[in-house]
């Protein structure tokens, strides 16, 4: 594995740690080292650093997973020299704490299912496979990109803190049971689908609130298709009181988790979608398809006012006249010629 060491040591501890790290890694900066190393070698470095550690020692270690992704492994010494991700904190002064645009979220602990699959990986995987399928059947790159985005956003609603809390409880009890065909939804506990929106409903809500209408990379027709996918990739639940407008989803969710948690949820979405973009850069190295391009950094207040008038997508009507791929191709060709 390739790792990077960062030293924030002071006084005599700086020279002590330099001697250890110089013996195992290449110095690529005044306080930074990098090398390819085995698991055993990494443990030896950690052991030597701990052995020589003093109150002025502070070293963090990061595993370089890919060109755009690294995982924090461990730190030795003063923990206040780094934040929870092993990064040197620079977002404060001695007198005034600065408010940052985004919070840091441990997205690798946000799961898509009881198999503990990280949500960002699940979302990209669905989007990528959907994109490949469309490429096989339809020569329409705009549609393929819209399908990719729909797949990458279809389970955004699983960032719901109540869903994550519920799935942790299920994992703890069942130790990773098989994922049901109808997907995983909150079925027991503090909330049920009678009083709490399902994750596909929340996915639609989040897309509506954060979709950037000024972005022209996806046209309105395909944006409507994305909304249809987000809402209908699971069957509609039968409730005593039916949800007819997006306003119902919004009010139920915000009432159950609170305004502060809802704000955190929006920031979590930003982190998840950025992670998806990073994976996309690896699979589409020439021209990456980025889902963040069509999303705003925060909720569009104008769209909040529209929720009461925004109906949930109706189920598409299918008939023998439009089921065939050939029929779709004929329509697509006709539209292109207009």
């Amino acid at each position: 594995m390739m790792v990077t060491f960062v030293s924030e040591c002071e006084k005599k501890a700086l020279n002590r740690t330099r001697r250890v790290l110089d013996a195992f890694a290449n110095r690529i900066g005044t306080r930074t080292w990098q090398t390819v190393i085995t698991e055993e070698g990494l443990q030896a470095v950690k052991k030597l650093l701990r052995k020589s550690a003093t109150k002025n020692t502070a070293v963090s270690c990061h595993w370089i997973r890919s060109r755009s992704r690294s995982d924090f492994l461990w730190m030795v010494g003063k923990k206040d020299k780094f934040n929870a991700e092993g990064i040197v904190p620079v977002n404060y002064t001695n007198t005034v704490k600065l408010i940052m645009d985004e919070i840091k979220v441990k997205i690798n602990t946000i799961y898509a299912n009881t198999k503990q699959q990280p949500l960002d990986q699940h979302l990209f995987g669905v989007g990528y496979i959907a994109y490949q399928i469309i490429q096989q059947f339809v020569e329409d790159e705009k549609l393929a990109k819209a399908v990719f985005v729909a797949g990458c956003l279809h389970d955004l609603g699983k960032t719901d803190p109540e869903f994550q809390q519920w799935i942790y409880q299920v994992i703890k009890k069942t130790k990773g049971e098989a994922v049901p065909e109808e997907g995983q939804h909150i079925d027991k506990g503090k909330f049920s689908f009678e009083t709490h929106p399902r994750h596909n409903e929340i996915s639609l809500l989040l897309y509506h609130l954060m979709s950037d209408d000024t972005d022209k990379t996806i046209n309105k027709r395909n944006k409507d298709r994305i909304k249809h996918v987000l809402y209908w990739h699971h069957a509609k639940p039968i409730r005593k009181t039916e949800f007819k407008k997006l306003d119902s989803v919004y009010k139920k969710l915000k009432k159950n988790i609170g305004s502060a948690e809802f704000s955190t949820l929006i920031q979590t979405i930003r982190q998840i979608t950025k992670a998806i973009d990073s994976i996309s850069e690896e699979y589409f190295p020439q021209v990456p398809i980025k889902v963040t391009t069509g999303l705003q950094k925060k909720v569009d207040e104008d769209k909040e006012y529209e929720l009461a008038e925004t109906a949930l997508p109706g189920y598409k009507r299918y008939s023998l006249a439009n089921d065939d791929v050939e029929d779709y191709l004929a329509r697509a060709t006709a539209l292109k010629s207009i």
Side-chain angles (χ1 to χ4, degrees), residues 221-253:
R221 182 189 295 265
N222 282 333
K223 285 182 179 180
D224 288 341
R225 287 172 175 146
I226 291 172
K227 293 176 182 178
H228 187 275
V229 170
L230 299 186
Y231 184 64
W232 283 108
H233 76 273
H234 286 300
K236 183 178 179 180
I238 299 174
R239 293 186 171 99
K240 295 176 181 177
T241 303
E242 185 179 355
F243 291 1
K244 294 183 178 180
K245 305 284 186 180
L246 261 179
D247 193 44
S248 300
V249 179
Y250 179 68
K251 287 180 177 178
K252 294 282 186 182
L253 177 64

Short mmCIF file of all heavy atoms in Angstrom, two decimals, residues 221-253:
data_model
loop_
_atom_site.label_atom_id
_atom_site.label_comp_id
_atom_site.label_asym_id
_atom_site.label_seq_id
_atom_site.Cartn_x
_atom_site.Cartn_y
_atom_site.Cartn_z
N ARG A 221 -37.03 17.38 -20.01
CA ARG A 221 -37.65 16.07 -20.23
C ARG A 221 -36.89 14.98 -19.44
O ARG A 221 -37.49 14.14 -18.77
CB ARG A 221 -37.64 15.73 -21.72
CG ARG A 221 -38.31 14.40 -22.07
CD ARG A 221 -38.06 14.07 -23.52
NE ARG A 221 -38.69 15.04 -24.40
CZ ARG A 221 -39.90 14.87 -24.93
NH1 ARG A 221 -40.59 13.77 -24.67
NH2 ARG A 221 -40.42 15.78 -25.72
N ASN A 222 -35.56 15.03 -19.50
CA ASN A 222 -34.76 14.03 -18.79
C ASN A 222 -34.76 14.27 -17.28
O ASN A 222 -34.66 13.32 -16.50
CB ASN A 222 -33.33 14.02 -19.32
CG ASN A 222 -33.22 13.28 -20.64
OD1 ASN A 222 -34.02 12.38 -20.93
ND2 ASN A 222 -32.23 13.62 -21.45
N LYS A 223 -34.88 15.53 -16.86
CA LYS A 223 -34.99 15.80 -15.41
C LYS A 223 -36.29 15.21 -14.86
O LYS A 223 -36.33 14.70 -13.74
CB LYS A 223 -34.92 17.30 -15.14
CG LYS A 223 -33.52 17.87 -15.27
CD LYS A 223 -33.47 19.35 -14.95
CE LYS A 223 -32.05 19.89 -15.07
NZ LYS A 223 -31.97 21.33 -14.77
N ASP A 224 -37.35 15.28 -15.65
CA ASP A 224 -38.62 14.67 -15.24
C ASP A 224 -38.46 13.14 -15.14
O ASP A 224 -39.04 12.52 -14.25
CB ASP A 224 -39.73 15.00 -16.24
CG ASP A 224 -40.17 16.46 -16.14
OD1 ASP A 224 -39.89 17.08 -15.09
OD2 ASP A 224 -40.78 16.96 -17.10
N ARG A 225 -37.68 12.57 -16.05
CA ARG A 225 -37.42 11.13 -15.99
C ARG A 225 -36.63 10.75 -14.75
O ARG A 225 -36.88 9.73 -14.12
CB ARG A 225 -36.67 10.69 -17.26
CG ARG A 225 -37.54 10.68 -18.51
CD ARG A 225 -36.70 10.42 -19.74
NE ARG A 225 -37.56 10.30 -20.92
CZ ARG A 225 -37.23 10.70 -22.14
NH1 ARG A 225 -36.05 11.28 -22.34
NH2 ARG A 225 -38.06 10.53 -23.16
N ILE A 226 -35.69 11.61 -14.38
CA ILE A 226 -34.91 11.37 -13.16
C ILE A 226 -35.84 11.35 -11.94
O ILE A 226 -35.76 10.48 -11.08
CB ILE A 226 -33.81 12.44 -12.99
CG1 ILE A 226 -32.73 12.26 -14.06
CG2 ILE A 226 -33.19 12.37 -11.59
CD1 ILE A 226 -31.70 13.37 -14.09
N LYS A 227 -36.75 12.33 -11.88
CA LYS A 227 -37.69 12.40 -10.76
C LYS A 227 -38.56 11.14 -10.71
O LYS A 227 -38.87 10.62 -9.63
CB LYS A 227 -38.57 13.64 -10.88
CG LYS A 227 -37.80 14.95 -10.69
CD LYS A 227 -38.69 16.17 -10.92
CE LYS A 227 -37.92 17.46 -10.78
NZ LYS A 227 -38.76 18.65 -11.05
N HIS A 228 -38.97 10.68 -11.87
CA HIS A 228 -39.80 9.47 -11.93
C HIS A 228 -39.03 8.27 -11.38
O HIS A 228 -39.57 7.47 -10.62
CB HIS A 228 -40.22 9.22 -13.38
CG HIS A 228 -41.20 8.10 -13.54
ND1 HIS A 228 -40.80 6.78 -13.65
CD2 HIS A 228 -42.55 8.09 -13.60
CE1 HIS A 228 -41.87 6.02 -13.77
NE2 HIS A 228 -42.94 6.79 -13.74
N VAL A 229 -37.75 8.15 -11.76
CA VAL A 229 -36.92 7.05 -11.27
C VAL A 229 -36.74 7.13 -9.76
O VAL A 229 -36.86 6.12 -9.05
CB VAL A 229 -35.54 7.07 -11.97
CG1 VAL A 229 -34.58 6.09 -11.29
CG2 VAL A 229 -35.68 6.71 -13.44
N LEU A 230 -36.45 8.32 -9.26
CA LEU A 230 -36.22 8.48 -7.81
C LEU A 230 -37.43 8.05 -7.01
O LEU A 230 -37.31 7.39 -5.97
CB LEU A 230 -35.88 9.94 -7.49
CG LEU A 230 -34.62 10.53 -8.14
CD1 LEU A 230 -34.35 11.93 -7.59
CD2 LEU A 230 -33.42 9.65 -7.90
N TYR A 231 -38.61 8.42 -7.48
CA TYR A 231 -39.83 8.12 -6.73
C TYR A 231 -40.32 6.68 -6.94
O TYR A 231 -40.73 6.02 -5.99
CB TYR A 231 -40.93 9.10 -7.13
CG TYR A 231 -42.21 8.93 -6.33
CD1 TYR A 231 -42.23 9.16 -4.96
CD2 TYR A 231 -43.40 8.55 -6.96
CE1 TYR A 231 -43.40 9.01 -4.23
CE2 TYR A 231 -44.57 8.40 -6.23
CZ TYR A 231 -44.56 8.63 -4.86
OH TYR A 231 -45.72 8.47 -4.14
N TRP A 232 -40.23 6.18 -8.17
CA TRP A 232 -40.86 4.91 -8.50
C TRP A 232 -39.90 3.71 -8.55
O TRP A 232 -40.29 2.65 -9.03
CB TRP A 232 -41.60 5.01 -9.83
CG TRP A 232 -42.91 5.74 -9.70
CD1 TRP A 232 -43.21 6.98 -10.15
CD2 TRP A 232 -44.09 5.26 -9.05
NE1 TRP A 232 -44.50 7.32 -9.84
CE2 TRP A 232 -45.08 6.28 -9.15
CE3 TRP A 232 -44.43 4.08 -8.38
CZ2 TRP A 232 -46.35 6.15 -8.63
CZ3 TRP A 232 -45.69 3.94 -7.86
CH2 TRP A 232 -46.65 4.97 -7.98
N HIS A 233 -38.66 3.87 -8.07
CA HIS A 233 -37.82 2.68 -8.07
C HIS A 233 -38.21 1.72 -6.94
O HIS A 233 -37.68 0.62 -6.83
CB HIS A 233 -36.32 3.04 -8.01
CG HIS A 233 -35.82 3.47 -6.66
ND1 HIS A 233 -35.88 4.78 -6.23
CD2 HIS A 233 -35.21 2.78 -5.67
CE1 HIS A 233 -35.34 4.86 -5.03
NE2 HIS A 233 -34.92 3.67 -4.66
N HIS A 234 -39.17 2.15 -6.14
CA HIS A 234 -39.84 1.26 -5.18
C HIS A 234 -41.35 1.46 -5.31
O HIS A 234 -41.80 2.54 -5.72
CB HIS A 234 -39.42 1.56 -3.74
CG HIS A 234 -38.04 1.10 -3.42
ND1 HIS A 234 -37.65 -0.22 -3.50
CD2 HIS A 234 -36.93 1.79 -3.05
CE1 HIS A 234 -36.38 -0.33 -3.18
NE2 HIS A 234 -35.91 0.89 -2.90
N ALA A 235 -42.10 0.44 -4.96
CA ALA A 235 -43.56 0.52 -5.06
C ALA A 235 -44.10 1.56 -4.09
O ALA A 235 -43.53 1.81 -3.02
CB ALA A 235 -44.18 -0.84 -4.77
N LYS A 236 -45.21 2.16 -4.46
CA LYS A 236 -45.85 3.17 -3.61
C LYS A 236 -46.50 2.49 -2.42
O LYS A 236 -47.27 1.53 -2.58
CB LYS A 236 -46.90 3.91 -4.43
CG LYS A 236 -47.59 5.04 -3.69
CD LYS A 236 -48.58 5.74 -4.61
CE LYS A 236 -49.30 6.86 -3.90
NZ LYS A 236 -50.25 7.55 -4.80
N PRO A 237 -46.21 2.92 -1.19
CA PRO A 237 -46.82 2.30 -0.02
C PRO A 237 -48.30 2.69 0.12
O PRO A 237 -48.70 3.78 -0.28
CB PRO A 237 -46.01 2.86 1.15
CG PRO A 237 -45.54 4.18 0.67
CD PRO A 237 -45.28 4.01 -0.81
N ILE A 238 -49.09 1.79 0.66
CA ILE A 238 -50.50 2.09 0.91
C ILE A 238 -50.62 2.63 2.34
O ILE A 238 -50.35 1.92 3.31
CB ILE A 238 -51.37 0.83 0.75
CG1 ILE A 238 -51.25 0.31 -0.68
CG2 ILE A 238 -52.83 1.14 1.09
CD1 ILE A 238 -51.96 -1.01 -0.92
N ARG A 239 -50.98 3.91 2.45
CA ARG A 239 -51.08 4.55 3.75
C ARG A 239 -52.54 4.89 4.07
O ARG A 239 -53.37 5.03 3.17
CB ARG A 239 -50.26 5.84 3.77
CG ARG A 239 -48.75 5.67 3.67
CD ARG A 239 -48.08 7.03 3.85
NE ARG A 239 -46.63 6.90 3.97
CZ ARG A 239 -45.78 7.11 2.97
NH1 ARG A 239 -46.25 7.45 1.77
NH2 ARG A 239 -44.49 6.98 3.15
N LYS A 240 -52.82 5.05 5.34
CA LYS A 240 -54.14 5.50 5.75
C LYS A 240 -54.38 6.92 5.24
O LYS A 240 -55.48 7.25 4.79
CB LYS A 240 -54.26 5.45 7.27
CG LYS A 240 -54.18 4.04 7.85
CD LYS A 240 -54.21 4.06 9.37
CE LYS A 240 -54.09 2.65 9.93
NZ LYS A 240 -54.05 2.66 11.42
N THR A 241 -53.35 7.75 5.34
CA THR A 241 -53.41 9.10 4.79
C THR A 241 -52.35 9.20 3.71
O THR A 241 -51.15 9.21 3.98
CB THR A 241 -53.15 10.17 5.87
OG1 THR A 241 -54.09 10.00 6.93
CG2 THR A 241 -53.28 11.57 5.29
N GLU A 242 -52.76 9.29 2.48
CA GLU A 242 -51.84 9.25 1.35
C GLU A 242 -51.04 10.54 1.21
O GLU A 242 -51.54 11.63 1.46
CB GLU A 242 -52.65 9.01 0.07
CG GLU A 242 -51.79 8.82 -1.17
CD GLU A 242 -52.63 8.57 -2.40
OE1 GLU A 242 -53.88 8.46 -2.26
OE2 GLU A 242 -52.06 8.50 -3.50
N PHE A 243 -49.76 10.41 0.83
CA PHE A 243 -48.94 11.56 0.49
C PHE A 243 -49.24 11.93 -0.96
O PHE A 243 -49.00 11.13 -1.87
CB PHE A 243 -47.44 11.23 0.61
CG PHE A 243 -46.95 11.02 2.02
CD1 PHE A 243 -47.80 11.08 3.10
CD2 PHE A 243 -45.61 10.74 2.26
CE1 PHE A 243 -47.35 10.88 4.39
CE2 PHE A 243 -45.13 10.54 3.54
CZ PHE A 243 -46.00 10.61 4.62
N LYS A 244 -49.76 13.13 -1.19
CA LYS A 244 -50.09 13.53 -2.55
C LYS A 244 -49.16 14.60 -3.10
O LYS A 244 -48.96 14.70 -4.30
CB LYS A 244 -51.54 14.04 -2.60
CG LYS A 244 -52.57 12.95 -2.30
CD LYS A 244 -53.98 13.50 -2.43
CE LYS A 244 -55.01 12.41 -2.17
NZ LYS A 244 -56.41 12.91 -2.29
N LYS A 245 -48.60 15.40 -2.20
CA LYS A 245 -47.69 16.47 -2.61
C LYS A 245 -46.34 16.29 -1.92
O LYS A 245 -46.24 15.64 -0.87
CB LYS A 245 -48.26 17.84 -2.23
CG LYS A 245 -49.67 18.13 -2.78
CD LYS A 245 -49.64 18.45 -4.25
CE LYS A 245 -51.04 18.86 -4.72
NZ LYS A 245 -51.06 19.19 -6.16
N LEU A 246 -45.30 16.88 -2.51
CA LEU A 246 -43.97 16.82 -1.90
C LEU A 246 -43.94 17.49 -0.54
O LEU A 246 -43.11 17.19 0.30
CB LEU A 246 -42.94 17.47 -2.82
CG LEU A 246 -42.11 16.53 -3.70
CD1 LEU A 246 -41.16 17.32 -4.57
CD2 LEU A 246 -41.36 15.52 -2.86
N ASP A 247 -44.86 18.41 -0.34
CA ASP A 247 -44.96 19.12 0.94
C ASP A 247 -45.19 18.14 2.10
O ASP A 247 -44.67 18.33 3.20
CB ASP A 247 -46.11 20.14 0.87
CG ASP A 247 -46.08 21.11 2.03
OD1 ASP A 247 -44.97 21.58 2.35
OD2 ASP A 247 -47.13 21.38 2.62
N SER A 248 -45.94 17.07 1.84
CA SER A 248 -46.20 16.07 2.88
C SER A 248 -44.91 15.37 3.29
O SER A 248 -44.65 15.15 4.48
CB SER A 248 -47.20 15.03 2.37
OG SER A 248 -48.43 15.63 2.03
N VAL A 249 -44.09 15.04 2.30
CA VAL A 249 -42.80 14.39 2.58
C VAL A 249 -41.91 15.33 3.38
O VAL A 249 -41.29 14.94 4.38
CB VAL A 249 -42.11 14.00 1.25
CG1 VAL A 249 -40.75 13.35 1.52
CG2 VAL A 249 -42.99 13.07 0.43
N TYR A 250 -41.85 16.58 2.95
CA TYR A 250 -40.99 17.58 3.60
C TYR A 250 -41.40 17.81 5.05
O TYR A 250 -40.54 17.79 5.95
CB TYR A 250 -41.10 18.88 2.80
CG TYR A 250 -40.30 20.04 3.34
CD1 TYR A 250 -38.91 20.02 3.31
CD2 TYR A 250 -40.93 21.18 3.85
CE1 TYR A 250 -38.17 21.10 3.78
CE2 TYR A 250 -40.20 22.26 4.32
CZ TYR A 250 -38.82 22.21 4.27
OH TYR A 250 -38.08 23.28 4.75
N LYS A 251 -42.67 18.02 5.29
CA LYS A 251 -43.14 18.31 6.65
C LYS A 251 -42.93 17.13 7.59
O LYS A 251 -42.53 17.31 8.74
CB LYS A 251 -44.61 18.72 6.62
CG LYS A 251 -44.86 20.11 6.05
CD LYS A 251 -46.34 20.46 6.04
CE LYS A 251 -46.57 21.88 5.54
NZ LYS A 251 -48.02 22.22 5.48
N LYS A 252 -43.24 15.93 7.11
CA LYS A 252 -43.07 14.73 7.95
C LYS A 252 -41.60 14.54 8.31
O LYS A 252 -41.26 14.27 9.47
CB LYS A 252 -43.58 13.49 7.21
CG LYS A 252 -45.07 13.47 6.97
CD LYS A 252 -45.83 13.09 8.22
CE LYS A 252 -47.33 12.93 7.91
NZ LYS A 252 -48.11 12.61 9.12
N LEU A 253 -40.73 14.67 7.32
CA LEU A 253 -39.30 14.46 7.55
C LEU A 253 -38.74 15.50 8.52
O LEU A 253 -38.06 15.16 9.49
CB LEU A 253 -38.54 14.51 6.22
CG LEU A 253 -37.02 14.39 6.31
CD1 LEU A 253 -36.63 13.02 6.85
CD2 LEU A 253 -36.37 14.63 4.95
#
